[in-house]
PDB file of all heavy atoms in Angstrom:
ATOM      1  N   ALA A  12     -12.383  14.079   0.133  1.00  0.00           N
ATOM      2  CA  ALA A  12     -12.798  15.028   1.151  1.00  0.00           C
ATOM      3  C   ALA A  12     -12.098  14.754   2.487  1.00  0.00           C
ATOM      4  O   ALA A  12     -11.824  15.704   3.229  1.00  0.00           O
ATOM      5  CB  ALA A  12     -14.328  15.001   1.321  1.00  0.00           C
ATOM      6  N   ASN A  13     -11.864  13.515   2.813  1.00  0.00           N
ATOM      7  CA  ASN A  13     -11.246  13.131   4.087  1.00  0.00           C
ATOM      8  C   ASN A  13      -9.756  12.877   3.904  1.00  0.00           C
ATOM      9  O   ASN A  13      -9.123  12.444   4.881  1.00  0.00           O
ATOM     10  CB  ASN A  13     -11.929  11.988   4.679  1.00  0.00           C
ATOM     11  CG  ASN A  13     -13.301  12.345   5.193  1.00  0.00           C
ATOM     12  OD1 ASN A  13     -13.519  13.385   5.835  1.00  0.00           O
ATOM     13  ND2 ASN A  13     -14.291  11.451   4.945  1.00  0.00           N
ATOM     14  N   ASN A  14      -9.216  13.042   2.712  1.00  0.00           N
ATOM     15  CA  ASN A  14      -7.778  12.894   2.508  1.00  0.00           C
ATOM     16  C   ASN A  14      -7.304  11.512   2.907  1.00  0.00           C
ATOM     17  O   ASN A  14      -6.291  11.381   3.579  1.00  0.00           O
ATOM     18  CB  ASN A  14      -6.947  13.974   3.184  1.00  0.00           C
ATOM     19  CG  ASN A  14      -7.225  15.347   2.651  1.00  0.00           C
ATOM     20  OD1 ASN A  14      -7.203  15.594   1.463  1.00  0.00           O
ATOM     21  ND2 ASN A  14      -7.542  16.299   3.561  1.00  0.00           N
ATOM     22  N   THR A  15      -8.078  10.511   2.542  1.00  0.00           N
ATOM     23  CA  THR A  15      -7.784   9.158   2.975  1.00  0.00           C
ATOM     24  C   THR A  15      -7.901   8.154   1.822  1.00  0.00           C
ATOM     25  O   THR A  15      -8.861   8.279   1.071  1.00  0.00           O
ATOM     26  CB  THR A  15      -8.737   8.737   4.109  1.00  0.00           C
ATOM     27  OG1 THR A  15      -8.593   9.691   5.180  1.00  0.00           O
ATOM     28  CG2 THR A  15      -8.388   7.394   4.654  1.00  0.00           C
ATOM     29  N   ALA A  16      -6.997   7.203   1.759  1.00  0.00           N
ATOM     30  CA  ALA A  16      -7.095   6.132   0.828  1.00  0.00           C
ATOM     31  C   ALA A  16      -7.361   4.831   1.660  1.00  0.00           C
ATOM     32  O   ALA A  16      -6.889   4.763   2.839  1.00  0.00           O
ATOM     33  CB  ALA A  16      -5.834   5.962   0.003  1.00  0.00           C
ATOM     34  N   TYR A  17      -8.016   3.915   1.040  1.00  0.00           N
ATOM     35  CA  TYR A  17      -8.402   2.663   1.774  1.00  0.00           C
ATOM     36  C   TYR A  17      -7.972   1.428   0.970  1.00  0.00           C
ATOM     37  O   TYR A  17      -7.908   1.484  -0.291  1.00  0.00           O
ATOM     38  CB  TYR A  17      -9.902   2.638   1.987  1.00  0.00           C
ATOM     39  CG  TYR A  17     -10.451   3.735   2.765  1.00  0.00           C
ATOM     40  CD1 TYR A  17     -10.911   4.874   2.114  1.00  0.00           C
ATOM     41  CD2 TYR A  17     -10.461   3.755   4.192  1.00  0.00           C
ATOM     42  CE1 TYR A  17     -11.452   5.961   2.834  1.00  0.00           C
ATOM     43  CE2 TYR A  17     -10.974   4.821   4.913  1.00  0.00           C
ATOM     44  CZ  TYR A  17     -11.475   5.886   4.198  1.00  0.00           C
ATOM     45  OH  TYR A  17     -11.978   6.952   4.937  1.00  0.00           O
ATOM     46  N   LEU A  18      -7.750   0.390   1.671  1.00  0.00           N
ATOM     47  CA  LEU A  18      -7.588  -0.923   1.052  1.00  0.00           C
ATOM     48  C   LEU A  18      -8.515  -1.854   1.778  1.00  0.00           C
ATOM     49  O   LEU A  18      -8.252  -2.259   2.924  1.00  0.00           O
ATOM     50  CB  LEU A  18      -6.137  -1.439   1.131  1.00  0.00           C
ATOM     51  CG  LEU A  18      -5.890  -2.754   0.427  1.00  0.00           C
ATOM     52  CD1 LEU A  18      -6.029  -2.549  -1.079  1.00  0.00           C
ATOM     53  CD2 LEU A  18      -4.523  -3.308   0.766  1.00  0.00           C
ATOM     54  N   GLN A  19      -9.607  -2.188   1.123  1.00  0.00           N
ATOM     55  CA  GLN A  19     -10.576  -3.143   1.656  1.00  0.00           C
ATOM     56  C   GLN A  19     -10.104  -4.557   1.230  1.00  0.00           C
ATOM     57  O   GLN A  19      -9.979  -4.833   0.021  1.00  0.00           O
ATOM     58  CB  GLN A  19     -11.991  -2.859   1.135  1.00  0.00           C
ATOM     59  CG  GLN A  19     -12.583  -1.546   1.541  1.00  0.00           C
ATOM     60  CD  GLN A  19     -13.849  -1.190   0.861  1.00  0.00           C
ATOM     61  OE1 GLN A  19     -13.869  -0.554  -0.229  1.00  0.00           O
ATOM     62  NE2 GLN A  19     -14.936  -1.688   1.455  1.00  0.00           N
ATOM     63  N   MET A  20      -9.922  -5.377   2.220  1.00  0.00           N
ATOM     64  CA  MET A  20      -9.413  -6.723   1.964  1.00  0.00           C
ATOM     65  C   MET A  20     -10.447  -7.728   2.393  1.00  0.00           C
ATOM     66  O   MET A  20     -10.877  -7.765   3.526  1.00  0.00           O
ATOM     67  CB  MET A  20      -8.115  -6.970   2.733  1.00  0.00           C
ATOM     68  CG  MET A  20      -7.031  -5.955   2.370  1.00  0.00           C
ATOM     69  SD  MET A  20      -5.452  -6.236   3.230  1.00  0.00           S
ATOM     70  CE  MET A  20      -5.958  -5.910   4.939  1.00  0.00           C
ATOM     71  N   GLY A  21     -10.873  -8.558   1.472  1.00  0.00           N
ATOM     72  CA  GLY A  21     -11.820  -9.606   1.809  1.00  0.00           C
ATOM     73  C   GLY A  21     -11.285 -10.982   1.397  1.00  0.00           C
ATOM     74  O   GLY A  21     -10.290 -11.087   0.693  1.00  0.00           O
ATOM     75  N   SER A  22     -11.988 -12.022   1.864  1.00  0.00           N
ATOM     76  CA  SER A  22     -11.555 -13.380   1.568  1.00  0.00           C
ATOM     77  C   SER A  22     -10.083 -13.602   1.864  1.00  0.00           C
ATOM     78  O   SER A  22      -9.321 -14.157   1.070  1.00  0.00           O
ATOM     79  CB  SER A  22     -11.878 -13.770   0.152  1.00  0.00           C
ATOM     80  OG  SER A  22     -13.293 -13.673  -0.129  1.00  0.00           O
ATOM     81  N   LEU A  23      -9.640 -13.141   3.003  1.00  0.00           N
ATOM     82  CA  LEU A  23      -8.220 -13.106   3.327  1.00  0.00           C
ATOM     83  C   LEU A  23      -7.697 -14.523   3.482  1.00  0.00           C
ATOM     84  O   LEU A  23      -8.351 -15.424   3.912  1.00  0.00           O
ATOM     85  CB  LEU A  23      -7.982 -12.318   4.607  1.00  0.00           C
ATOM     86  CG  LEU A  23      -8.019 -10.824   4.417  1.00  0.00           C
ATOM     87  CD1 LEU A  23      -8.216 -10.121   5.761  1.00  0.00           C
ATOM     88  CD2 LEU A  23      -6.758 -10.303   3.719  1.00  0.00           C
ATOM     89  N   LYS A  24      -6.485 -14.720   3.014  1.00  0.00           N
ATOM     90  CA  LYS A  24      -5.773 -15.954   3.089  1.00  0.00           C
ATOM     91  C   LYS A  24      -4.543 -15.852   3.906  1.00  0.00           C
ATOM     92  O   LYS A  24      -3.974 -14.768   4.052  1.00  0.00           O
ATOM     93  CB  LYS A  24      -5.336 -16.393   1.628  1.00  0.00           C
ATOM     94  CG  LYS A  24      -6.511 -16.441   0.645  1.00  0.00           C
ATOM     95  CD  LYS A  24      -5.968 -16.716  -0.787  1.00  0.00           C
ATOM     96  CE  LYS A  24      -7.088 -16.692  -1.785  1.00  0.00           C
ATOM     97  NZ  LYS A  24      -6.552 -16.941  -3.178  1.00  0.00           N
ATOM     98  N   PRO A  25      -4.052 -16.955   4.470  1.00  0.00           N
ATOM     99  CA  PRO A  25      -2.776 -16.880   5.246  1.00  0.00           C
ATOM    100  C   PRO A  25      -1.645 -16.226   4.465  1.00  0.00           C
ATOM    101  O   PRO A  25      -0.808 -15.537   5.074  1.00  0.00           O
ATOM    102  CB  PRO A  25      -2.539 -18.344   5.566  1.00  0.00           C
ATOM    103  CG  PRO A  25      -3.887 -18.955   5.634  1.00  0.00           C
ATOM    104  CD  PRO A  25      -4.678 -18.322   4.545  1.00  0.00           C
ATOM    105  N   GLU A  26      -1.599 -16.461   3.128  1.00  0.00           N
ATOM    106  CA  GLU A  26      -0.553 -15.921   2.337  1.00  0.00           C
ATOM    107  C   GLU A  26      -0.626 -14.380   2.168  1.00  0.00           C
ATOM    108  O   GLU A  26       0.274 -13.794   1.623  1.00  0.00           O
ATOM    109  CB  GLU A  26      -0.447 -16.557   0.982  1.00  0.00           C
ATOM    110  CG  GLU A  26      -1.782 -16.652   0.210  1.00  0.00           C
ATOM    111  CD  GLU A  26      -2.474 -18.005   0.410  1.00  0.00           C
ATOM    112  OE1 GLU A  26      -2.524 -18.482   1.578  1.00  0.00           O
ATOM    113  OE2 GLU A  26      -2.972 -18.552  -0.578  1.00  0.00           O
ATOM    114  N   ASP A  27      -1.731 -13.763   2.631  1.00  0.00           N
ATOM    115  CA  ASP A  27      -1.841 -12.363   2.645  1.00  0.00           C
ATOM    116  C   ASP A  27      -1.147 -11.707   3.873  1.00  0.00           C
ATOM    117  O   ASP A  27      -1.067 -10.496   3.920  1.00  0.00           O
ATOM    118  CB  ASP A  27      -3.284 -11.896   2.659  1.00  0.00           C
ATOM    119  CG  ASP A  27      -4.073 -12.281   1.387  1.00  0.00           C
ATOM    120  OD1 ASP A  27      -3.509 -12.128   0.295  1.00  0.00           O
ATOM    121  OD2 ASP A  27      -5.253 -12.724   1.509  1.00  0.00           O
ATOM    122  N   THR A  28      -0.698 -12.555   4.785  1.00  0.00           N
ATOM    123  CA  THR A  28       0.036 -12.061   5.932  1.00  0.00           C
ATOM    124  C   THR A  28       1.303 -11.305   5.500  1.00  0.00           C
ATOM    125  O   THR A  28       2.127 -11.819   4.785  1.00  0.00           O
ATOM    126  CB  THR A  28       0.389 -13.245   6.873  1.00  0.00           C
ATOM    127  OG1 THR A  28      -0.789 -13.814   7.350  1.00  0.00           O
ATOM    128  CG2 THR A  28       1.257 -12.709   8.037  1.00  0.00           C
ATOM    129  N   ALA A  29       1.375 -10.069   5.988  1.00  0.00           N
ATOM    130  CA  ALA A  29       2.490  -9.204   5.585  1.00  0.00           C
ATOM    131  C   ALA A  29       2.345  -7.881   6.302  1.00  0.00           C
ATOM    132  O   ALA A  29       1.362  -7.567   6.954  1.00  0.00           O
ATOM    133  CB  ALA A  29       2.469  -8.960   4.049  1.00  0.00           C
ATOM    134  N   VAL A  30       3.406  -7.129   6.239  1.00  0.00           N
ATOM    135  CA  VAL A  30       3.349  -5.689   6.619  1.00  0.00           C
ATOM    136  C   VAL A  30       2.882  -4.948   5.360  1.00  0.00           C
ATOM    137  O   VAL A  30       3.519  -5.070   4.291  1.00  0.00           O
ATOM    138  CB  VAL A  30       4.691  -5.168   7.106  1.00  0.00           C
ATOM    139  CG1 VAL A  30       4.586  -3.677   7.386  1.00  0.00           C
ATOM    140  CG2 VAL A  30       5.141  -5.930   8.345  1.00  0.00           C
ATOM    141  N   TYR A  31       1.857  -4.182   5.503  1.00  0.00           N
ATOM    142  CA  TYR A  31       1.289  -3.407   4.430  1.00  0.00           C
ATOM    143  C   TYR A  31       1.689  -1.917   4.536  1.00  0.00           C
ATOM    144  O   TYR A  31       1.545  -1.368   5.638  1.00  0.00           O
ATOM    145  CB  TYR A  31      -0.270  -3.527   4.422  1.00  0.00           C
ATOM    146  CG  TYR A  31      -0.719  -4.844   3.869  1.00  0.00           C
ATOM    147  CD1 TYR A  31      -0.546  -6.017   4.621  1.00  0.00           C
ATOM    148  CD2 TYR A  31      -1.266  -4.972   2.619  1.00  0.00           C
ATOM    149  CE1 TYR A  31      -1.006  -7.232   4.149  1.00  0.00           C
ATOM    150  CE2 TYR A  31      -1.727  -6.172   2.108  1.00  0.00           C
ATOM    151  CZ  TYR A  31      -1.535  -7.316   2.867  1.00  0.00           C
ATOM    152  OH  TYR A  31      -1.975  -8.529   2.410  1.00  0.00           O
ATOM    153  N   TYR A  32       2.219  -1.389   3.435  1.00  0.00           N
ATOM    154  CA  TYR A  32       2.694  -0.031   3.425  1.00  0.00           C
ATOM    155  C   TYR A  32       1.874   0.829   2.469  1.00  0.00           C
ATOM    156  O   TYR A  32       1.663   0.375   1.293  1.00  0.00           O
ATOM    157  CB  TYR A  32       4.150   0.031   3.003  1.00  0.00           C
ATOM    158  CG  TYR A  32       5.091  -0.703   3.897  1.00  0.00           C
ATOM    159  CD1 TYR A  32       5.384  -2.076   3.730  1.00  0.00           C
ATOM    160  CD2 TYR A  32       5.756  -0.008   4.946  1.00  0.00           C
ATOM    161  CE1 TYR A  32       6.261  -2.686   4.534  1.00  0.00           C
ATOM    162  CE2 TYR A  32       6.618  -0.689   5.795  1.00  0.00           C
ATOM    163  CZ  TYR A  32       6.895  -1.985   5.562  1.00  0.00           C
ATOM    164  OH  TYR A  32       7.770  -2.686   6.424  1.00  0.00           O
ATOM    165  N   CYS A  33       1.447   1.956   2.878  1.00  0.00           N
ATOM    166  CA  CYS A  33       0.903   2.932   2.015  1.00  0.00           C
ATOM    167  C   CYS A  33       2.026   3.691   1.315  1.00  0.00           C
ATOM    168  O   CYS A  33       3.066   3.872   1.890  1.00  0.00           O
ATOM    169  CB  CYS A  33       0.015   3.944   2.749  1.00  0.00           C
ATOM    170  SG  CYS A  33      -0.885   5.084   1.762  1.00  0.00           S
ATOM    171  N   ALA A  34       1.880   4.037   0.032  1.00  0.00           N
ATOM    172  CA  ALA A  34       2.875   4.693  -0.695  1.00  0.00           C
ATOM    173  C   ALA A  34       2.267   5.767  -1.602  1.00  0.00           C
ATOM    174  O   ALA A  34       1.116   5.607  -2.036  1.00  0.00           O
ATOM    175  CB  ALA A  34       3.669   3.707  -1.542  1.00  0.00           C
ATOM    176  N   ALA A  35       3.002   6.789  -1.927  1.00  0.00           N
ATOM    177  CA  ALA A  35       2.549   7.868  -2.793  1.00  0.00           C
ATOM    178  C   ALA A  35       3.661   8.223  -3.767  1.00  0.00           C
ATOM    179  O   ALA A  35       4.832   8.237  -3.438  1.00  0.00           O
ATOM    180  CB  ALA A  35       2.140   9.068  -1.983  1.00  0.00           C
ATOM    181  N   GLY A  36       3.261   8.538  -5.003  1.00  0.00           N
ATOM    182  CA  GLY A  36       4.205   8.953  -5.985  1.00  0.00           C
ATOM    183  C   GLY A  36       3.540   9.304  -7.280  1.00  0.00           C
ATOM    184  O   GLY A  36       2.317   9.605  -7.323  1.00  0.00           O
ATOM    185  N   GLY A  37       4.324   9.283  -8.350  1.00  0.00           N
ATOM    186  CA  GLY A  37       3.838   9.624  -9.687  1.00  0.00           C
ATOM    187  C   GLY A  37       3.468   8.442 -10.444  1.00  0.00           C
ATOM    188  O   GLY A  37       3.101   7.388  -9.902  1.00  0.00           O
ATOM    189  N   ASN A  38       3.489   8.552 -11.770  1.00  0.00           N
ATOM    190  CA  ASN A  38       2.971   7.464 -12.658  1.00  0.00           C
ATOM    191  C   ASN A  38       3.818   6.229 -12.719  1.00  0.00           C
ATOM    192  O   ASN A  38       3.480   5.281 -13.406  1.00  0.00           O
ATOM    193  CB  ASN A  38       2.676   8.063 -14.072  1.00  0.00           C
ATOM    194  CG  ASN A  38       3.933   8.542 -14.781  1.00  0.00           C
ATOM    195  OD1 ASN A  38       4.997   8.573 -14.210  1.00  0.00           O
ATOM    196  ND2 ASN A  38       3.744   8.931 -16.041  1.00  0.00           N
ATOM    197  N   ARG A  39       4.980   6.226 -12.087  1.00  0.00           N
ATOM    198  CA  ARG A  39       5.819   5.057 -12.006  1.00  0.00           C
ATOM    199  C   ARG A  39       5.834   4.422 -10.606  1.00  0.00           C
ATOM    200  O   ARG A  39       6.701   3.653 -10.243  1.00  0.00           O
ATOM    201  CB  ARG A  39       7.225   5.412 -12.453  1.00  0.00           C
ATOM    202  CG  ARG A  39       7.298   5.926 -13.917  1.00  0.00           C
ATOM    203  CD  ARG A  39       8.717   6.202 -14.319  1.00  0.00           C
ATOM    204  NE  ARG A  39       9.495   5.005 -14.572  1.00  0.00           N
ATOM    205  CZ  ARG A  39      10.788   4.954 -14.846  1.00  0.00           C
ATOM    206  NH1 ARG A  39      11.467   6.118 -14.952  1.00  0.00           N
ATOM    207  NH2 ARG A  39      11.402   3.833 -15.065  1.00  0.00           N
ATOM    208  N   LEU A  40       4.783   4.778  -9.818  1.00  0.00           N
ATOM    209  CA  LEU A  40       4.726   4.222  -8.454  1.00  0.00           C
ATOM    210  C   LEU A  40       4.679   2.720  -8.424  1.00  0.00           C
ATOM    211  O   LEU A  40       5.379   2.067  -7.628  1.00  0.00           O
ATOM    212  CB  LEU A  40       3.441   4.749  -7.811  1.00  0.00           C
ATOM    213  CG  LEU A  40       3.141   4.214  -6.383  1.00  0.00           C
ATOM    214  CD1 LEU A  40       4.122   4.760  -5.400  1.00  0.00           C
ATOM    215  CD2 LEU A  40       1.710   4.655  -5.978  1.00  0.00           C
ATOM    216  N   TRP A  41       3.989   2.111  -9.358  1.00  0.00           N
ATOM    217  CA  TRP A  41       3.797   0.661  -9.399  1.00  0.00           C
ATOM    218  C   TRP A  41       5.107  -0.098  -9.529  1.00  0.00           C
ATOM    219  O   TRP A  41       5.255  -1.160  -9.033  1.00  0.00           O
ATOM    220  CB  TRP A  41       2.810   0.278 -10.490  1.00  0.00           C
ATOM    221  CG  TRP A  41       2.418  -1.181 -10.407  1.00  0.00           C
ATOM    222  CD1 TRP A  41       2.815  -2.195 -11.246  1.00  0.00           C
ATOM    223  CD2 TRP A  41       1.528  -1.752  -9.454  1.00  0.00           C
ATOM    224  NE1 TRP A  41       2.228  -3.346 -10.887  1.00  0.00           N
ATOM    225  CE2 TRP A  41       1.431  -3.151  -9.815  1.00  0.00           C
ATOM    226  CE3 TRP A  41       0.836  -1.274  -8.368  1.00  0.00           C
ATOM    227  CZ2 TRP A  41       0.641  -3.989  -9.054  1.00  0.00           C
ATOM    228  CZ3 TRP A  41       0.063  -2.151  -7.610  1.00  0.00           C
ATOM    229  CH2 TRP A  41      -0.033  -3.530  -7.996  1.00  0.00           C
ATOM    230  N   ILE A  42       6.040   0.519 -10.260  1.00  0.00           N
ATOM    231  CA  ILE A  42       7.321  -0.140 -10.508  1.00  0.00           C
ATOM    232  C   ILE A  42       8.376   0.317  -9.524  1.00  0.00           C
ATOM    233  O   ILE A  42       9.543   0.075  -9.733  1.00  0.00           O
ATOM    234  CB  ILE A  42       7.760   0.021 -11.934  1.00  0.00           C
ATOM    235  CG1 ILE A  42       7.937   1.518 -12.329  1.00  0.00           C
ATOM    236  CG2 ILE A  42       6.831  -0.682 -12.906  1.00  0.00           C
ATOM    237  CD1 ILE A  42       8.601   1.763 -13.701  1.00  0.00           C
ATOM    238  N   GLY A  43       7.958   0.982  -8.463  1.00  0.00           N
ATOM    239  CA  GLY A  43       8.835   1.206  -7.354  1.00  0.00           C
ATOM    240  C   GLY A  43       9.410   2.622  -7.201  1.00  0.00           C
ATOM    241  O   GLY A  43      10.205   2.851  -6.303  1.00  0.00           O
ATOM    242  N   TYR A  44       8.874   3.532  -8.009  1.00  0.00           N
ATOM    243  CA  TYR A  44       9.315   4.920  -7.861  1.00  0.00           C
ATOM    244  C   TYR A  44       8.403   5.607  -6.852  1.00  0.00           C
ATOM    245  O   TYR A  44       7.468   6.296  -7.192  1.00  0.00           O
ATOM    246  CB  TYR A  44       9.350   5.673  -9.209  1.00  0.00           C
ATOM    247  CG  TYR A  44      10.475   5.273 -10.101  1.00  0.00           C
ATOM    248  CD1 TYR A  44      10.456   4.057 -10.782  1.00  0.00           C
ATOM    249  CD2 TYR A  44      11.604   6.078 -10.227  1.00  0.00           C
ATOM    250  CE1 TYR A  44      11.520   3.672 -11.617  1.00  0.00           C
ATOM    251  CE2 TYR A  44      12.667   5.672 -11.023  1.00  0.00           C
ATOM    252  CZ  TYR A  44      12.634   4.533 -11.732  1.00  0.00           C
ATOM    253  OH  TYR A  44      13.629   4.142 -12.521  1.00  0.00           O
ATOM    254  N   VAL A  45       8.723   5.398  -5.576  1.00  0.00           N
ATOM    255  CA  VAL A  45       7.902   5.862  -4.503  1.00  0.00           C
ATOM    256  C   VAL A  45       8.509   7.091  -3.918  1.00  0.00           C
ATOM    257  O   VAL A  45       9.705   7.146  -3.520  1.00  0.00           O
ATOM    258  CB  VAL A  45       7.807   4.771  -3.425  1.00  0.00           C
ATOM    259  CG1 VAL A  45       7.003   5.289  -2.236  1.00  0.00           C
ATOM    260  CG2 VAL A  45       7.161   3.504  -3.975  1.00  0.00           C
ATOM    261  N   ASP A  46       7.725   8.137  -3.798  1.00  0.00           N
ATOM    262  CA  ASP A  46       8.165   9.422  -3.237  1.00  0.00           C
ATOM    263  C   ASP A  46       7.985   9.406  -1.706  1.00  0.00           C
ATOM    264  O   ASP A  46       8.819   9.996  -0.985  1.00  0.00           O
ATOM    265  CB  ASP A  46       7.385  10.583  -3.810  1.00  0.00           C
ATOM    266  CG  ASP A  46       7.695  10.807  -5.295  1.00  0.00           C
ATOM    267  OD1 ASP A  46       8.914  10.630  -5.658  1.00  0.00           O
ATOM    268  OD2 ASP A  46       6.833  11.196  -6.062  1.00  0.00           O
ATOM    269  N   TYR A  47       6.924   8.756  -1.219  1.00  0.00           N
ATOM    270  CA  TYR A  47       6.641   8.762   0.164  1.00  0.00           C
ATOM    271  C   TYR A  47       6.117   7.397   0.638  1.00  0.00           C
ATOM    272  O   TYR A  47       5.329   6.785  -0.072  1.00  0.00           O
ATOM    273  CB  TYR A  47       5.593   9.875   0.571  1.00  0.00           C
ATOM    274  CG  TYR A  47       6.010  11.201   0.144  1.00  0.00           C
ATOM    275  CD1 TYR A  47       5.512  11.756  -1.049  1.00  0.00           C
ATOM    276  CD2 TYR A  47       6.810  12.017   0.932  1.00  0.00           C
ATOM    277  CE1 TYR A  47       5.869  13.058  -1.474  1.00  0.00           C
ATOM    278  CE2 TYR A  47       7.188  13.284   0.538  1.00  0.00           C
ATOM    279  CZ  TYR A  47       6.704  13.793  -0.644  1.00  0.00           C
ATOM    280  OH  TYR A  47       7.057  15.077  -1.028  1.00  0.00           O
ATOM    281  N   TRP A  48       6.590   6.966   1.821  1.00  0.00           N
ATOM    282  CA  TRP A  48       6.135   5.697   2.405  1.00  0.00           C
ATOM    283  C   TRP A  48       5.491   5.957   3.732  1.00  0.00           C
ATOM    284  O   TRP A  48       5.900   6.837   4.497  1.00  0.00           O
ATOM    285  CB  TRP A  48       7.298   4.768   2.629  1.00  0.00           C
ATOM    286  CG  TRP A  48       7.943   4.168   1.429  1.00  0.00           C
ATOM    287  CD1 TRP A  48       9.091   4.511   0.820  1.00  0.00           C
ATOM    288  CD2 TRP A  48       7.446   3.045   0.717  1.00  0.00           C
ATOM    289  NE1 TRP A  48       9.381   3.728  -0.216  1.00  0.00           N
ATOM    290  CE2 TRP A  48       8.378   2.784  -0.321  1.00  0.00           C
ATOM    291  CE3 TRP A  48       6.312   2.222   0.839  1.00  0.00           C
ATOM    292  CZ2 TRP A  48       8.218   1.707  -1.239  1.00  0.00           C
ATOM    293  CZ3 TRP A  48       6.178   1.171  -0.068  1.00  0.00           C
ATOM    294  CH2 TRP A  48       7.106   0.934  -1.046  1.00  0.00           C
ATOM    295  N   GLY A  49       4.485   5.156   4.019  1.00  0.00           N
ATOM    296  CA  GLY A  49       3.939   5.152   5.360  1.00  0.00           C
ATOM    297  C   GLY A  49       4.817   4.226   6.226  1.00  0.00           C
ATOM    298  O   GLY A  49       5.747   3.636   5.787  1.00  0.00           O
ATOM    299  N   GLN A  50       4.472   4.148   7.481  1.00  0.00           N
ATOM    300  CA  GLN A  50       5.275   3.358   8.446  1.00  0.00           C
ATOM    301  C   GLN A  50       4.988   1.881   8.413  1.00  0.00           C
ATOM    302  O   GLN A  50       5.789   1.097   8.914  1.00  0.00           O
ATOM    303  CB  GLN A  50       5.087   3.906   9.856  1.00  0.00           C
ATOM    304  CG  GLN A  50       3.785   3.389  10.553  1.00  0.00           C
ATOM    305  CD  GLN A  50       2.532   4.086  10.089  1.00  0.00           C
ATOM    306  OE1 GLN A  50       2.573   4.956   9.196  1.00  0.00           O
ATOM    307  NE2 GLN A  50       1.427   3.677  10.678  1.00  0.00           N
ATOM    308  N   GLY A  51       3.959   1.463   7.796  1.00  0.00           N
ATOM    309  CA  GLY A  51       3.533   0.103   7.685  1.00  0.00           C
ATOM    310  C   GLY A  51       2.632  -0.334   8.775  1.00  0.00           C
ATOM    311  O   GLY A  51       2.652   0.147   9.915  1.00  0.00           O
ATOM    312  N   THR A  52       1.751  -1.276   8.480  1.00  0.00           N
ATOM    313  CA  THR A  52       0.816  -1.854   9.439  1.00  0.00           C
ATOM    314  C   THR A  52       0.765  -3.358   9.203  1.00  0.00           C
ATOM    315  O   THR A  52       0.650  -3.810   8.091  1.00  0.00           O
ATOM    316  CB  THR A  52      -0.548  -1.208   9.406  1.00  0.00           C
ATOM    317  OG1 THR A  52      -1.400  -1.676  10.462  1.00  0.00           O
ATOM    318  CG2 THR A  52      -1.238  -1.471   8.029  1.00  0.00           C
ATOM    319  N   GLN A  53       0.820  -4.113  10.292  1.00  0.00           N
ATOM    320  CA  GLN A  53       0.897  -5.621  10.200  1.00  0.00           C
ATOM    321  C   GLN A  53      -0.502  -6.177  10.022  1.00  0.00           C
ATOM    322  O   GLN A  53      -1.446  -5.841  10.689  1.00  0.00           O
ATOM    323  CB  GLN A  53       1.484  -6.154  11.472  1.00  0.00           C
ATOM    324  CG  GLN A  53       1.525  -7.697  11.505  1.00  0.00           C
ATOM    325  CD  GLN A  53       2.517  -8.271  10.560  1.00  0.00           C
ATOM    326  OE1 GLN A  53       3.651  -7.842  10.487  1.00  0.00           O
ATOM    327  NE2 GLN A  53       2.066  -9.305   9.813  1.00  0.00           N
TER     328      GLN A  53
END
């Protein structure tokens, strides 16, 4: 309804430090066939 996806992150570890990017695509998104990328958030 709000056209929003979320990533709830808990029990965060230092190794989770990264730039996180939202991505959209088809059924091969997981293996890197990305149609659209967000700008990233640290």
Side-chain angles (χ1 to χ4, degrees):
N13 289 318
N14 297 309
T15 304
Y17 302 93
L18 185 68
Q19 296 173 268
M20 304 182 293
S22 301
L23 284 163
K24 306 173 181 179
E26 51 263 45
D27 294 319
T28 295
V30 177
Y31 284 71
Y32 298 89
C33 186
N38 63 356
R39 300 181 73 185
L40 177 69
W41 190 253
I42 58 173
Y44 285 78
V45 177
D46 294 323
Y47 304 96
W48 288 102
Q50 80 283 0
T52 186
Q53 176 71 46

